Amino acid sequence: MHIVVIGAGIIGMMTAYFLREDGHAVSVVEAGPRPGLATSQANGAQLSYSFVAPLADPAVLPKLPSWLTDRDGPLRLRLRADPELWRWGLGFLRACRHATVRRSTAELLQLGLLSRTLMHRLVARERLDFNFASSGKLLVYQDAAAYRSALAQMRYQASLGCEQRALDARECLALEPALADIAARVVGGIFTPTEDAGDCLKLCGELQRTLAGRPDPVRFHFNTEARRLRVRHGRVQALETAAGAIEADGYVIANGVGAQALARQVGINPLIYPLKGYSLTYPLSERSRAPMTSLSDVHNKVVYARLGDRLRVAGMMDIGDRSTALDERRIASLKHQVARYLPRLEAAGEPQAWAGLRPARPDSKPVIGATPYRNLWINAGHGALGFTLAAGSAGLLADRIAGRASTLARSFTL
């Protein structure tokens, strides 16, 4: 079967890989000049398979007023006359129920563990060069109440097969000496040894190289905007693009934030809304005191990931800002957080700043699978977990297209 994958971010590229592994002829359509230049370009770089708890949670409800009023908080909500924002917000509030959060956490964790298995298999098979490192991840807590809550979450995730261990402040510092300057503020941590890190943009490029170099190569249509799906009698007849119509046997919507508009044109509403995030990439030298373990500053919601001779720092979330323009106030705030957390980082130069849009659904669960159209599937809505869940999502979608049984068969559907 010839399948067109719409989107060449990490979700689209992984989808193309697993469909090609199943023997399909695959074409990838991408508006940009090469893969990974949108949400995948400079994300947090952490593959956090075990840290997939939804953003929607009863605990966030008391924080909503601060989201509206604090211009420098890690989460910022800008209310606008945007019907999609209000629909997404109502869905978010409905998802803030204990039962919903428990169910979503269990399902996302299963998908995360599948993704870890498939990612490691992919790396071993293809020998991809993207600064991949299995250094584990340490969540660092500076608030005793938050740490106690995290221990309860750790016990729950242990019942679902997640391997983690609690560390006291001294053990956190022994694991990651770069934390020495904030030793007095650390109350404890949770370490997961099975977490990875890597450069998502580089991986997208490596997947293109691998797929284009095969005897029956995947065809890539770059600089080609997907405009609409032409449908008739319950099937997609063609994808209309800026370069003309592309006909195929099947189609997969996997273009991140753009999936919402494309799906809405054919009567499907995946409830995807862009959440804006920011990152800094610091060049390092031999003098730099950067962490080797992936870190999460839980209090400030900032993550740190080592990428060879670079350090990726990501954080902030702006809801209601659809632009990818850099907000200098947010960038300055993120730099300030780095200076307080790693005061002796000694980077080799100024960091490269980036802002991108995360395609999020209200309950943090992506849509992976069939649509009302017989030859149209969707793999989108991963929010901040796109890199983490990409391999598992693509593997699950390939299973569904092939009709193979899956333990996640009833999860992640429209």
Side-chain angles (χ1 to χ4, degrees):
M1 185 161 60
H2 176 209
I3 301 178
V4 170
V5 176
I6 304 165
I10 190 59
I11 300 296
M13 295 303 294
M14 280 289 189
T15 299
Y17 178 87
F18 279 90
L19 291 178
R20 184 64 193 84
E21 286 293 292
D22 267 1
H24 298 291
V26 179
S27 297
V28 176
V29 175
E30 166 58 37
R34 59 190 179 93
L37 292 181
T39 305
S40 300
Q41 183 174 354
N43 58 27
Q46 293 186 352
L47 291 154
S48 301
Y49 316 108
S50 302
F51 295 98
V52 292
L55 176 63
D57 187 281
V60 309
L61 297 178
K63 301 175 183 177
L64 289 177
S66 69
W67 291 9
L68 285 165
T69 58
D70 188 353
R71 297 178 63 192
D72 296 315
L75 296 168
R76 187 171 66 179
L77 174 60
R78 294 181 175 180
L79 293 181
R80 298 182 181 279
D82 181 351
E84 288 196 356
L85 172 60
W86 288 97
R87 280 193 291 268
W88 187 91
L90 289 173
F92 180 87
L93 293 176
R94 285 193 295 270
C96 289
R97 298 172 178 157
H98 285 290
T100 302
V101 172
R102 280 288 177 111
R103 183 176 65 252
S104 296
T105 298
E107 292 171 339
L108 286 166
L109 184 57
Q110 288 182 62
L111 185 59
L113 297 179
L114 172 63
S115 200
R116 182 178 69 199
T117 298
L118 295 180
M119 178 65 83
H120 281 242
R121 187 180 303 167
L122 171 67
V123 170
R125 178 183 298 169
E126 304 295 350
R127 298 183 179 180
L128 305 173
D129 178 15
F130 63 107
N131 298 116
F132 182 74
S134 298
S135 55
K137 177 173 176 175
L138 176 64
L139 270 70
V140 182
Y141 291 86
Q142 302 174 57
D143 177 81
Y147 184 48
R148 287 193 297 271
S149 177
L151 292 176
Q153 177 72 13
M154 183 187 74
R155 289 190 288 270
Y156 171 61
Q157 294 200 173
S159 71
L160 302 174
C162 187
E163 178 191 352
Q164 298 174 311
R165 68 176 187 265
L167 306 181
D168 61 24
R170 180 183 57 80
E171 291 170 321
C172 289
L173 298 174
L175 177 67
E176 182 46 74
L179 295 170
D181 291 307
I182 62 164
R185 307 204 304 263
V186 176
V187 300
I190 293 177
F191 179 61
T192 307
T194 52
E195 308 294 73
D196 304 321
D199 188 321
C200 189
L201 176 61
K202 280 189 175 182
L203 177 56
C204 289
E206 285 288 275
L207 287 171
Q208 181 199 359
R209 176 187 61 79
T210 299
L211 293 170
R214 295 195 167 176
D216 295 312
V218 169
R219 296 186 62 188
F220 290 92
H221 301 267
F222 293 116
N223 297 307
T224 304
E225 178 189 0
R227 291 183 171 171
R228 66 181 300 111
L229 294 160
R230 188 193 308 160
V231 299
R232 187 180 181 187
H233 302 313
R235 290 180 60 86
V236 176
Q237 291 187 316
L239 172 67
E240 296 180 1
T241 77
I246 301 176
E247 296 183 356
D249 303 304
Y251 303 82
V252 178
I253 299 174
N255 57 331
V257 172
Q260 177 69 15
L262 195 61
R264 288 288 280 167
Q265 289 173 355
V266 292
I268 301 168
N269 186 5
L271 277 176
I272 294 171
Y273 194 81
L275 306 185
K276 187 173 183 177
Y278 301 85
S279 76
L280 300 168
T281 304
Y282 287 85
L284 303 175
S285 70
E286 293 182 356
R287 295 179 54 193
S288 301
R289 300 187 61 177
M292 297 301 298
T293 303
S294 289
L295 299 175
S296 284
D297 174 2
V298 177
H299 182 73
N300 294 298
K301 294 181 171 55
V302 177
V303 298
Y304 298 78
R306 184 72 172 259
L307 297 173
D309 60 357
R310 295 170 296 150
L311 179 68
R312 175 71 49 76
V313 183
M316 313 291 185
M317 182 179 293
D318 290 349
I319 305 173
D321 182 354
R322 289 176 171 268
S323 81
T324 57
L326 289 175
D327 182 327
E328 294 303 328
R329 186 185 183 99
R330 298 298 258 170
I331 294 300
S333 180
L334 190 54
K335 288 181 178 179
H336 176 69
Q337 295 295 345
V338 176
R340 292 190 71 245
Y341 207 69
L342 301 172
R344 289 184 288 173
L345 174 62
E346 294 191 53
E350 282 297 305
Q352 182 176 359
W354 175 85
L357 302 177
R358 303 153 174 160
R361 300 188 69 242
D363 60 1
S364 297
K365 288 172 51 180
V367 178
I368 308 166
T371 73
Y373 298 92
R374 295 190 295 276
N375 64 336
L376 176 66
W377 297 272
I378 187 167
N379 190 3
H382 296 74
L385 295 172
F387 190 24
T388 292
L389 299 178
S393 299
L396 177 59
L397 181 66
D399 286 343
R400 289 183 167 173
I401 291 175
R404 292 187 290 265
S406 168
T407 57
L408 293 171
R410 295 185 179 180
S411 304
F412 310 106
T413 56
L414 282 168

